[in-house]
Amino acid sequence: MSAPQGGIFALGTAAHAYLEFDLTAGRTGQDLVAAISSLREPRTTMGGVNLVAGFRPELWRKAAPDDAPAGVEGFNDDLIGSDGFAMPATQHDAVLWLSGSAYDVVFDVARQIIVELRELAAVVEETSSWPYRHDLDLTGFIDGTENPTVIDAPELVLIPEGAPGAGGTILLLQKWAHDAAAWESLTVASQEQVIGRTKLDSVELEDKAPDSHVASTDQERFGKIFRRNMPYGTVTDHGTMFVGFSSEQRPLSTMLESMAGLAGGARDALTRYTQPLTGAYYFVPSTESLRRVSGATSTN
């Protein structure tokens, strides 16, 4: 049976870093896939750090054509909403998500990885994240209320056995900046209408607006995903890293379309207080897939 990369479901970690890489000119995607797959213990932990590796879908398909899910594409074009609201496409070639109990070990391992990959790829996007009051995001609401449990999530978000890419999953990674001043100027009741849940105990509102965040991202409508969202940033510049996993790309892409107002309604009310800065899809292979390609040689 194909096993997922363990860090996907390693809840409770206190420090996170997301490193997105682009290939160096003259090097091949196969080179990068092999190098990342060969990193010391990429499937479990490195010195107490969980490491999850993902690749631009088109790059992985070229490196491992028999182990790539059909039809999955990178975030290659901006998503433009019905009123001109834009979700930018900032697709890169690979992502490494590191998480651990403290940032010092994440920091040291991240630096080591960058050195090991320096001849093949450069870091073009880096974000550090941390939990806020256990399970809140920086709006003050509980994040991930509809998340499946870690017992149920693998069956829901991993590609099933017998299909290309079995044990892998599709990651949507986005960085959303918060307009904290505008958000915090709202009353709690107004914030609850934007989200569609109560702030204190995260109970879904019976009279929620059709453009509320809950209505715009209804998993009963679009399909189940597993979210590992984390706050990021500084006191004056902060927001949310959206980290969403699915066995198919469509639930992720249709949720974004709904949020942008392309599903026949108004765009998600929460997008009036948050702004997407990045957007990328990555295929996150199984541990067995990483082992198979770790010894691959490049083909120019």
Side-chain angles (χ1 to χ4, degrees):
M1 184 174 181
S2 301
Q5 296 183 48
I8 296 169
F9 304 109
L11 303 181
T13 45
H16 298 250
Y18 309 89
L19 306 176
E20 294 180 85
F21 294 83
D22 277 344
L23 272 171
T24 300
R27 305 309 296 259
T28 70
Q30 290 93 327
D31 290 333
L32 183 59
V33 169
I36 288 177
S37 299
S38 299
L39 289 172
R40 180 168 54 90
E41 295 297 331
R43 296 155 292 278
T44 52
T45 63
M46 289 177 56
V49 174
N50 297 297
L51 176 60
V52 175
F55 304 94
R56 178 167 53 86
E58 296 89 345
L59 185 151
W60 175 260
R61 186 174 298 115
K62 186 174 181 180
D66 295 333
D67 197 30
V72 182
E73 298 180 347
F75 203 134
N76 300 320
D77 299 295
D78 294 352
L79 180 63
I80 307 300
S82 56
D83 61 355
F85 174 78
M87 295 187 187
T90 59
Q91 184 68 51
H92 300 294
D93 289 321
V95 64
L96 292 175
W97 166 32
L98 300 90
S99 62
S101 60
Y103 190 69
D104 55 353
V105 292
V106 170
F107 177 85
D108 284 343
V109 172
R111 293 189 68 205
Q112 174 189 342
I113 288 171
I114 291 169
V115 169
E116 291 185 20
L117 297 177
R118 67 184 182 277
E119 300 297 327
L120 291 170
V123 176
V124 287
E125 184 72 37
E126 175 190 355
T127 304
S128 301
S129 293
W130 30 267
Y132 179 67
R133 299 192 181 184
H134 181 58
D135 57 1
L136 302 186
D137 67 21
L138 296 182
T139 67
F141 283 73
I142 296 173
D143 197 4
T145 299
E146 292 190 13
N147 243 6
T149 67
V150 292
I151 295 174
D152 296 330
E155 183 177 349
L156 293 170
V157 303
L158 298 179
I159 295 171
E161 289 298 315
T169 185
I170 298 154
L171 164 65
L172 170 61
L173 185 67
Q174 287 182 300
K175 185 175 184 176
W176 289 77
H178 291 196
D179 185 344
W183 178 253
E184 291 166 2
S185 71
L186 300 177
T187 65
V188 170
S190 295
Q191 291 179 354
E192 290 176 338
Q193 286 298 318
V194 170
I195 299 294
R197 291 184 178 276
T198 58
K199 191 169 187 177
L200 181 62
D201 48 12
S202 199
V203 175
E204 188 170 330
L205 301 179
E206 292 185 4
D207 61 344
K208 62 182 178 295
D211 67 343
S212 68
H213 184 58
V214 169
S216 297
T217 61
D218 183 7
Q219 293 191 37
E220 296 302 320
R221 178 182 173 192
F222 300 114
K224 288 290 184 180
I225 65 173
F226 183 66
R227 299 192 304 176
R228 291 293 309 275
N229 296 2
M230 293 294 292
Y232 80 86
T234 66
V235 174
T236 57
D237 181 12
H238 51 255
T240 297
M241 287 297 292
F242 179 87
V243 184
F245 295 94
S246 177
S247 61
E248 297 179 313
Q249 189 168 27
R250 192 60 184 159
L252 298 165
S253 62
T254 53
M255 283 185 189
L256 293 189
E257 290 166 2
S258 174
M259 291 178 68
L262 297 175
R267 70 176 165 103
D268 188 336
L270 186 58
T271 63
R272 304 188 185 283
Y273 304 94
T274 60
Q275 179 68 33
L277 304 179
T278 69
Y281 287 108
Y282 295 100
F283 178 63
V284 179
S286 70
T287 59
E288 288 77 10
S289 295
L290 292 177
R291 292 189 187 108
R292 281 195 294 271
V293 302
S294 62
T297 56
S298 64
T299 57
N300 292 311

